[in-house]
Amino acid sequence: MPDALQRLPEGARVAVIRLRSLGDCVLTTPALDILKRFRPDLEIAIVVEDRFKPVFEDNPAISVVLPPSRSAVRRWRPVLCLNLHGGTRSAVLTAGSLAKYRAGFAHFRMSQLYNLRIPTAQEILGVDRTVHTAEHLASAIFWLGAPRCEIPRAQLFAPPRPVDLPYAVIHPFATGPGKSWSTSGFLAVAEHLRNSFNLDPVFIAGPGDDTSPFARYRCLAGAPLAEVKSLLRGASLFVGNDSGPAHMAAAFGLPVLVLFGTSNPEIWAPWRTVSRVITAQGPIEAVPAGEVIEALERLRVAA
Protein backbone atom coordinates (compact mmCIF):
# COMPACT_ATOMS: atom_id res chain seq x y z
CA MET A 1 0.00 0.00 0.00
CA PRO A 2 2.15 2.87 -1.25
CA ASP A 3 -0.09 5.48 0.38
CA ALA A 4 -0.16 3.90 3.87
CA LEU A 5 1.51 6.91 5.51
CA GLN A 6 -1.06 9.27 4.00
CA ARG A 7 -3.85 7.13 5.47
CA LEU A 8 -2.61 7.43 9.04
CA PRO A 9 -4.73 9.82 11.11
CA GLU A 10 -3.27 13.02 12.53
CA GLY A 11 -1.01 12.28 15.49
CA ALA A 12 -1.08 8.52 14.90
CA ARG A 13 1.38 6.30 16.72
CA VAL A 14 3.95 4.28 14.78
CA ALA A 15 6.16 1.52 16.19
CA VAL A 16 9.40 0.76 14.32
CA ILE A 17 11.10 -2.50 15.27
CA ARG A 18 14.92 -2.62 15.12
CA LEU A 19 15.93 -5.05 17.84
CA ARG A 20 19.73 -5.01 17.83
CA SER A 21 23.07 -4.80 15.99
CA LEU A 22 24.87 -1.51 16.50
CA GLY A 23 25.52 -0.67 12.85
CA ASP A 24 21.99 -1.56 11.80
CA CYS A 25 20.56 0.59 14.58
CA VAL A 26 22.66 3.58 13.53
CA LEU A 27 21.70 3.10 9.87
CA THR A 28 18.01 2.99 10.78
CA THR A 29 18.09 6.65 11.80
CA PRO A 30 18.02 8.06 8.23
CA ALA A 31 14.75 6.18 7.62
CA LEU A 32 13.31 7.59 10.85
CA ASP A 33 14.35 11.10 9.81
CA ILE A 34 12.63 10.73 6.43
CA LEU A 35 9.47 9.42 8.11
CA LYS A 36 9.35 12.26 10.65
CA ARG A 37 10.02 14.97 8.07
CA PHE A 38 7.20 13.66 5.88
CA ARG A 39 4.74 13.27 8.76
CA PRO A 40 5.97 15.48 11.64
CA ASP A 41 2.68 14.89 13.47
CA LEU A 42 3.35 11.18 13.97
CA GLU A 43 4.44 9.81 17.34
CA ILE A 44 7.24 7.35 16.59
CA ALA A 45 8.45 4.63 18.94
CA ILE A 46 11.56 2.57 18.32
CA VAL A 47 11.54 -0.98 19.67
CA VAL A 48 15.07 -2.03 20.56
CA GLU A 49 17.04 -4.06 23.07
CA ASP A 50 18.17 -2.06 26.08
CA ARG A 51 21.91 -2.27 25.25
CA PHE A 52 21.31 -0.35 22.00
CA LYS A 53 18.88 2.19 23.45
CA PRO A 54 21.55 4.96 23.56
CA VAL A 55 21.70 4.97 19.74
CA PHE A 56 18.23 6.49 19.68
CA GLU A 57 18.30 8.65 22.80
CA ASP A 58 17.75 12.40 22.27
CA ASN A 59 16.77 11.82 18.64
CA PRO A 60 14.03 14.40 17.90
CA ALA A 61 12.33 12.03 15.45
CA ILE A 62 11.59 9.56 18.23
CA SER A 63 8.91 10.01 20.87
CA VAL A 64 9.76 6.96 22.99
CA VAL A 65 12.12 3.98 23.09
CA LEU A 66 10.30 0.74 23.90
CA PRO A 67 11.68 -2.62 25.08
CA PRO A 68 11.12 -5.57 22.75
CA SER A 69 8.10 -7.06 24.53
CA ARG A 70 4.64 -7.66 23.11
CA SER A 71 2.98 -5.99 26.09
CA ALA A 72 5.08 -2.81 25.71
CA VAL A 73 4.41 -2.57 21.99
CA ARG A 74 0.72 -3.30 22.44
CA ARG A 75 0.38 -0.65 25.16
CA TRP A 76 1.84 1.88 22.71
CA ARG A 77 -1.22 1.15 20.54
CA PRO A 78 0.40 1.86 17.17
CA VAL A 79 -1.69 2.29 14.06
CA LEU A 80 1.33 1.22 12.00
CA CYS A 81 3.97 -1.29 13.13
CA LEU A 82 6.96 -1.38 10.79
CA ASN A 83 9.44 -4.24 11.14
CA LEU A 84 12.90 -3.20 9.93
CA HIS A 85 14.65 -6.08 11.67
CA GLY A 86 13.41 -9.35 10.17
CA GLY A 87 13.47 -12.70 11.90
CA THR A 88 10.95 -14.60 13.99
CA ARG A 89 11.00 -12.51 17.15
CA SER A 90 10.44 -9.21 15.38
CA ALA A 91 7.64 -10.78 13.28
CA VAL A 92 5.89 -11.97 16.44
CA LEU A 93 6.24 -8.50 17.96
CA THR A 94 4.77 -6.96 14.81
CA ALA A 95 1.78 -9.29 14.86
CA GLY A 96 1.37 -8.85 18.62
CA SER A 97 1.20 -5.08 18.27
CA LEU A 98 -2.38 -5.44 16.98
CA ALA A 99 -1.65 -2.49 14.69
CA LYS A 100 -4.06 -1.88 11.84
CA TYR A 101 -1.11 -1.78 9.43
CA ARG A 102 1.69 -4.33 9.93
CA ALA A 103 4.55 -3.81 7.50
CA GLY A 104 7.70 -5.77 6.76
CA PHE A 105 9.81 -6.74 3.78
CA ALA A 106 8.25 -9.57 1.79
CA HIS A 107 11.46 -11.61 2.03
CA PHE A 108 11.39 -11.56 5.86
CA ARG A 109 10.54 -14.71 7.76
CA MET A 110 6.86 -15.25 8.60
CA SER A 111 5.86 -12.63 6.05
CA GLN A 112 2.30 -13.94 6.20
CA LEU A 113 1.94 -11.95 9.43
CA TYR A 114 2.23 -8.66 7.53
CA ASN A 115 -0.66 -7.05 5.69
CA LEU A 116 1.81 -4.68 4.02
CA ARG A 117 4.58 -6.65 2.32
CA ILE A 118 7.37 -4.38 1.15
CA PRO A 119 9.19 -5.34 -2.08
CA THR A 120 12.96 -5.26 -2.45
CA ALA A 121 14.86 -2.02 -2.18
CA GLN A 122 16.03 -2.49 -5.77
CA GLU A 123 12.44 -2.56 -6.98
CA ILE A 124 11.47 0.45 -4.90
CA LEU A 125 14.51 2.51 -5.90
CA GLY A 126 14.50 1.34 -9.51
CA VAL A 127 18.09 0.10 -9.48
CA ASP A 128 19.82 -3.12 -10.45
CA ARG A 129 22.74 -3.17 -8.03
CA THR A 130 23.66 -4.00 -4.48
CA VAL A 131 22.19 -1.35 -2.19
CA HIS A 132 23.65 0.10 0.99
CA THR A 133 21.94 -0.77 4.27
CA ALA A 134 20.82 2.85 4.69
CA GLU A 135 19.18 2.69 1.25
CA HIS A 136 17.53 -0.63 2.06
CA LEU A 137 15.96 0.68 5.27
CA ALA A 138 14.94 4.04 3.82
CA SER A 139 13.30 2.35 0.83
CA ALA A 140 10.63 0.97 3.15
CA ILE A 141 9.60 4.53 4.06
CA PHE A 142 9.44 5.49 0.39
CA TRP A 143 7.27 2.48 -0.43
CA LEU A 144 4.89 3.37 2.40
CA GLY A 145 4.32 6.77 0.85
CA ALA A 146 7.07 9.26 1.70
CA PRO A 147 8.33 11.13 -1.39
CA ARG A 148 11.66 9.98 -2.73
CA CYS A 149 14.51 12.17 -1.50
CA GLU A 150 18.21 12.02 -0.86
CA ILE A 151 18.78 9.67 2.04
CA PRO A 152 20.42 11.72 4.79
CA ARG A 153 23.34 10.94 7.02
CA ALA A 154 22.64 8.81 10.08
CA GLN A 155 21.95 10.80 13.22
CA LEU A 156 23.34 10.44 16.73
CA PHE A 157 23.05 12.98 19.51
CA ALA A 158 25.53 13.41 22.35
CA PRO A 159 27.45 16.15 24.15
CA PRO A 160 31.20 16.12 23.40
CA ARG A 161 33.60 15.15 26.15
CA PRO A 162 35.88 17.90 27.45
CA VAL A 163 39.37 17.32 26.00
CA ASP A 164 42.82 18.85 26.30
CA LEU A 165 44.19 17.72 22.93
CA PRO A 166 42.62 16.86 19.56
CA TYR A 167 42.29 13.11 19.26
CA ALA A 168 41.51 10.28 16.87
CA VAL A 169 39.47 7.23 17.83
CA ILE A 170 40.78 3.79 16.82
CA HIS A 171 38.64 0.66 17.03
CA PRO A 172 40.91 -2.36 16.42
CA PHE A 173 38.31 -5.04 17.18
CA ALA A 174 35.38 -6.60 15.32
CA THR A 175 32.47 -8.91 16.00
CA GLY A 176 33.41 -11.80 13.72
CA PRO A 177 36.37 -13.76 12.36
CA GLY A 178 38.04 -12.43 9.25
CA LYS A 179 37.12 -8.83 10.09
CA SER A 180 40.00 -7.68 12.31
CA TRP A 181 43.20 -6.09 11.01
CA SER A 182 46.51 -6.77 12.74
CA THR A 183 47.48 -5.33 16.12
CA SER A 184 50.86 -4.24 14.72
CA GLY A 185 49.08 -2.40 11.92
CA PHE A 186 46.89 -0.43 14.30
CA LEU A 187 49.92 0.43 16.43
CA ALA A 188 51.70 1.78 13.33
CA VAL A 189 48.63 3.87 12.49
CA ALA A 190 48.50 5.22 16.05
CA GLU A 191 52.13 6.34 15.82
CA HIS A 192 51.48 8.01 12.47
CA LEU A 193 48.43 9.84 13.82
CA ARG A 194 50.43 11.12 16.75
CA ASN A 195 53.54 12.12 14.82
CA SER A 196 52.08 13.31 11.50
CA PHE A 197 48.52 14.39 12.33
CA ASN A 198 49.21 15.71 15.86
CA LEU A 199 46.23 13.67 17.08
CA ASP A 200 46.20 11.76 20.34
CA PRO A 201 45.17 8.14 19.59
CA VAL A 202 42.34 6.79 21.75
CA PHE A 203 41.56 3.07 21.45
CA ILE A 204 38.04 1.84 22.15
CA ALA A 205 37.06 -1.73 22.97
CA GLY A 206 34.15 -3.84 24.13
CA PRO A 207 34.02 -5.46 27.57
CA GLY A 208 35.61 -8.72 26.36
CA ASP A 209 38.38 -7.22 24.23
CA ASP A 210 42.05 -7.28 25.25
CA THR A 211 43.50 -3.78 25.11
CA SER A 212 46.88 -4.67 26.66
CA PRO A 213 48.76 -4.38 23.30
CA PHE A 214 47.62 -0.74 23.13
CA ALA A 215 48.41 0.15 26.77
CA ARG A 216 50.87 2.89 25.79
CA TYR A 217 47.87 4.90 24.55
CA ARG A 218 44.61 5.98 26.10
CA CYS A 219 42.07 3.15 26.06
CA LEU A 220 38.33 3.16 26.70
CA ALA A 221 37.23 -0.43 27.25
CA GLY A 222 33.76 -1.69 28.09
CA ALA A 223 32.35 1.81 28.41
CA PRO A 224 28.59 2.43 28.18
CA LEU A 225 27.42 3.19 24.66
CA ALA A 226 26.42 6.70 25.69
CA GLU A 227 30.01 7.39 26.72
CA VAL A 228 31.32 6.05 23.41
CA LYS A 229 28.91 8.39 21.63
CA SER A 230 30.30 11.39 23.49
CA LEU A 231 33.87 10.31 22.76
CA LEU A 232 33.15 10.04 19.03
CA ARG A 233 31.23 13.32 19.05
CA GLY A 234 34.39 15.19 20.01
CA ALA A 235 36.90 13.28 17.88
CA SER A 236 38.72 14.56 14.80
CA LEU A 237 39.02 11.26 12.91
CA PHE A 238 38.15 7.55 13.14
CA VAL A 239 40.11 4.46 12.06
CA GLY A 240 38.89 0.92 12.53
CA ASN A 241 37.56 -2.36 11.26
CA ASP A 242 34.11 -2.63 9.72
CA SER A 243 31.98 -2.47 12.86
CA GLY A 244 29.29 -0.52 14.66
CA PRO A 245 31.60 2.23 15.96
CA ALA A 246 32.59 3.06 12.36
CA HIS A 247 28.94 3.81 11.59
CA MET A 248 28.66 5.88 14.76
CA ALA A 249 31.68 7.93 13.68
CA ALA A 250 30.16 8.47 10.23
CA ALA A 251 26.92 9.63 11.86
CA PHE A 252 28.86 12.42 13.55
CA GLY A 253 30.43 13.38 10.22
CA LEU A 254 33.97 12.39 11.14
CA PRO A 255 36.50 11.53 8.44
CA VAL A 256 36.49 7.73 8.58
CA LEU A 257 38.91 5.05 7.41
CA VAL A 258 37.52 1.51 7.55
CA LEU A 259 39.15 -1.84 6.77
CA PHE A 260 36.95 -4.56 5.30
CA GLY A 261 37.66 -8.26 5.42
CA THR A 262 34.77 -10.63 4.77
CA SER A 263 31.93 -8.09 4.67
CA ASN A 264 30.80 -6.14 1.62
CA PRO A 265 31.60 -2.39 1.57
CA GLU A 266 28.81 -1.80 -0.95
CA ILE A 267 26.42 -2.69 1.87
CA TRP A 268 28.35 -1.43 4.89
CA ALA A 269 30.63 1.44 3.82
CA PRO A 270 30.57 4.65 5.91
CA TRP A 271 27.43 6.55 4.94
CA ARG A 272 27.45 10.23 3.93
CA THR A 273 30.81 11.25 5.35
CA VAL A 274 34.32 11.76 3.98
CA SER A 275 35.85 8.31 4.07
CA ARG A 276 38.37 5.86 2.73
CA VAL A 277 37.69 2.14 2.49
CA ILE A 278 40.35 -0.56 2.26
CA THR A 279 39.10 -3.97 1.14
CA ALA A 280 41.41 -6.90 1.79
CA GLN A 281 42.15 -9.02 -1.26
CA GLY A 282 43.12 -11.92 1.00
CA PRO A 283 43.27 -12.25 4.78
CA ILE A 284 42.62 -8.86 6.34
CA GLU A 285 45.61 -9.31 8.65
CA ALA A 286 47.89 -9.23 5.59
CA VAL A 287 46.94 -5.68 4.56
CA PRO A 288 50.22 -3.70 4.80
CA ALA A 289 50.39 -0.86 7.30
CA GLY A 290 51.86 1.34 4.55
CA GLU A 291 48.69 0.96 2.48
CA VAL A 292 46.56 2.11 5.41
CA ILE A 293 48.84 5.05 6.17
CA GLU A 294 48.72 6.13 2.53
CA ALA A 295 44.90 6.01 2.70
CA LEU A 296 45.04 8.11 5.85
CA GLU A 297 47.05 10.75 4.02
CA ARG A 298 44.51 10.80 1.18
CA LEU A 299 41.74 11.08 3.75
CA ARG A 300 43.49 14.08 5.31
CA VAL A 301 43.56 15.83 1.92
CA ALA A 302 39.91 15.00 1.21
CA ALA A 303 38.75 16.18 4.62
Side-chain angles (χ1 to χ4, degrees):
M1 188 185 298
D3 61 347
L5 293 178
Q6 291 91 326
R7 296 189 180 203
L8 299 181
E10 184 78 15
R13 291 184 169 187
V14 175
V16 178
I17 298 178
R18 174 67 262 173
L19 298 182
R20 60 185 169 271
S21 300
L22 181 53
D24 289 286
C25 286
V26 173
L27 292 171
T28 298
T29 61
L32 297 174
D33 182 42
I34 293 168
L35 174 58
K36 188 66 173 180
R37 282 192 280 117
F38 177 57
R39 286 291 306 267
D41 59 294
L42 297 178
E43 297 292 329
I44 301 171
I46 188 77
V47 182
V48 68
E49 293 177 359
D50 187 64
R51 56 187 168 145
F52 298 112
K53 181 178 178 180
V55 171
F56 302 102
E57 288 176 340
D58 301 316
N59 189 319
I62 299 168
S63 299
V64 64
V65 180
L66 298 177
S69 74
R70 278 186 289 179
S71 59
V73 177
R74 190 172 298 173
R75 282 196 302 270
W76 177 246
R77 300 169 73 177
V79 179
L80 166 66
C81 187
L82 171 60
N83 184 6
L84 292 180
H85 186 88
T88 302
R89 186 184 180 196
S90 58
V92 170
L93 286 170
T94 304
S97 71
L98 303 183
K100 179 179 180 180
Y101 302 115
R102 300 178 305 280
F105 282 95
H107 65 269
F108 281 174
R109 298 176 195 169
M110 304 174 68
S111 62
Q112 70 274 12
L113 296 178
Y114 310 124
N115 55 22
L116 297 177
R117 296 182 183 88
I118 304 169
T120 66
Q122 284 85 352
E123 183 177 341
I124 296 166
L125 300 175
V127 298
D128 183 20
R129 58 171 173 80
T130 301
V131 299
H132 192 277
T133 300
E135 295 177 295
H136 166 69
L137 297 169
S139 72
I141 309 301
F142 298 146
W143 187 82
L144 289 168
R148 287 277 300 276
C149 64
E150 182 176 282
I151 300 167
R153 178 185 291 162
Q155 294 183 320
L156 295 180
F157 298 87
R161 290 165 48 126
V163 294
D164 297 324
L165 296 171
Y167 61 92
V169 173
I170 302 176
H171 183 234
F173 304 99
T175 56
K179 297 181 68 174
S180 295
W181 191 41
S182 64
T183 297
S184 60
F186 279 114
L187 288 170
V189 164
E191 280 300 298
H192 189 76
L193 288 171
R194 174 173 281 176
N195 297 330
S196 180
F197 283 57
N198 293 317
L199 293 176
D200 187 29
V202 180
F203 285 83
I204 59 173
D209 297 324
D210 179 16
T211 59
S212 60
F214 312 108
R216 76 185 78 164
Y217 302 103
R218 284 199 293 155
C219 294
L220 185 70
L225 195 54
E227 188 174 348
V228 177
K229 278 203 309 182
S230 290
L231 179 73
L232 288 166
R233 168 70 175 79
S236 299
L237 184 144
F238 175 91
V239 182
N241 299 309
D242 169 41
S243 61
H247 296 293
M248 295 175 69
F252 284 118
L254 301 186
V256 172
L257 188 151
V258 183
L259 291 107
F260 281 81
T262 56
S263 52
N264 186 347
E266 290 183 287
I267 300 173
W268 295 109
W271 182 251
R272 301 286 189 216
T273 196
V274 177
S275 64
R276 288 291 181 271
V277 166
I278 294 176
T279 304
Q281 301 305 309
I284 188 172
E285 300 90 344
V287 173
E291 180 180 345
V292 178
I293 289 171
E294 286 178 11
L296 269 177
E297 291 295 337
R298 293 194 300 272
L299 182 64
R300 170 156 59 176
V301 171

